[in-house]
Amino acid sequence: LVSTEWLASHLDDANLRILDSTVYLRAPAPNADRRNFTQESGRADYEAGHVPGALFADLVRDFSDTSARFPFTKPSAEQFAASLGALGVDNSTHVVCYDGSGTMWATRMWWLLRAFGHDNASVLDGGIKKWNAEGRPLSTEIPAVQPARFTPNERPERWATKDDVLAAINDGQACVI
């Protein structure tokens, strides 16, 4: 975690990328199948006002395999690298993630970064809600960014397969959340 104070004092760091990773899950109609939540990118909220210098990391489209059966399926290493590189992130960049939904999506982005070998990643403690509550500035400017080359180092041990989960349920030594 990084604090809002820390982030405010490091906004001009050349090796820092701030990523707004907001996603909204919209509930289905009252009589519809309750499993059919829709995923909505938080890009509109980002464009209306974000932490100065932040870029938008679209977890719905760019950081998920949209051809997969289920939403938020792990992207390929190539897709992840291309999407991250387009945001100006290379292997040495310090990335700070936040969202407008209570940090659930910022932590997903943090986890994806680490699962693809990028350990220099943090989550903004309290997210944009805390940033706003403290009266810190917002920007509507979308920063120009020089694309970068991110080389993924995928860590397969960070991913659980269906068989892994079934084994964990059956062995009694793991907690499945």
Side-chain angles (χ1 to χ4, degrees):
L1 290 174
V2 297
S3 69
T4 52
E5 294 83 11
W6 183 92
L7 184 57
S9 68
H10 288 84
L11 289 177
D12 294 326
D13 287 6
N15 197 42
L16 177 68
R17 286 291 179 270
I18 307 162
L19 301 182
D20 181 329
S21 307
T22 302
V23 173
Y24 296 105
L25 292 179
R26 303 294 185 202
N31 293 327
D33 183 339
R34 300 302 295 167
R35 296 171 293 178
N36 290 331
F37 280 78
T38 57
Q39 306 80 39
E40 181 183 319
S41 164
R43 186 179 300 275
D45 286 350
Y46 163 80
E47 291 173 354
H50 51 266
V51 172
L55 296 162
F56 189 73
D58 193 334
L59 286 170
V60 175
R61 292 177 195 87
D62 299 335
F63 291 95
S64 294
D65 178 354
T66 58
S67 68
R69 179 177 171 200
F70 298 107
F72 305 110
T73 296
K74 173 185 86 159
S76 69
E78 296 77 18
Q79 178 187 350
F80 185 84
S83 295
L84 203 57
L87 296 174
V89 176
D90 66 23
N91 293 75
S92 68
T93 307
H94 181 189
V95 178
V96 173
C97 308
Y98 75 86
D99 66 48
S101 309
T103 70
M104 178 172 111
W105 300 106
T107 55
R108 172 149 179 99
M109 188 66 204
W110 171 87
W111 177 75
L112 282 169
L113 285 159
R114 294 182 59 89
F116 281 104
H118 190 74
D119 292 332
N120 195 10
S122 305
V123 173
L124 180 61
D125 190 10
I128 192 80
K129 289 179 183 181
K130 183 174 182 190
W131 184 270
N132 286 335
E134 294 172 347
R136 297 190 185 275
L138 294 176
S139 175
T140 56
E141 180 182 340
I142 298 175
V145 64
Q146 184 73 11
R149 180 174 173 81
F150 175 77
T151 303
N153 179 22
E154 191 168 1
R155 296 171 172 151
E157 71 277 6
R158 302 256 175 158
W159 305 96
T161 66
K162 179 180 171 182
D163 290 337
D164 294 333
V165 174
L166 288 172
I169 290 169
N170 293 326
D171 88 0
Q173 298 298 309
C175 177
V176 178
I177 300 173

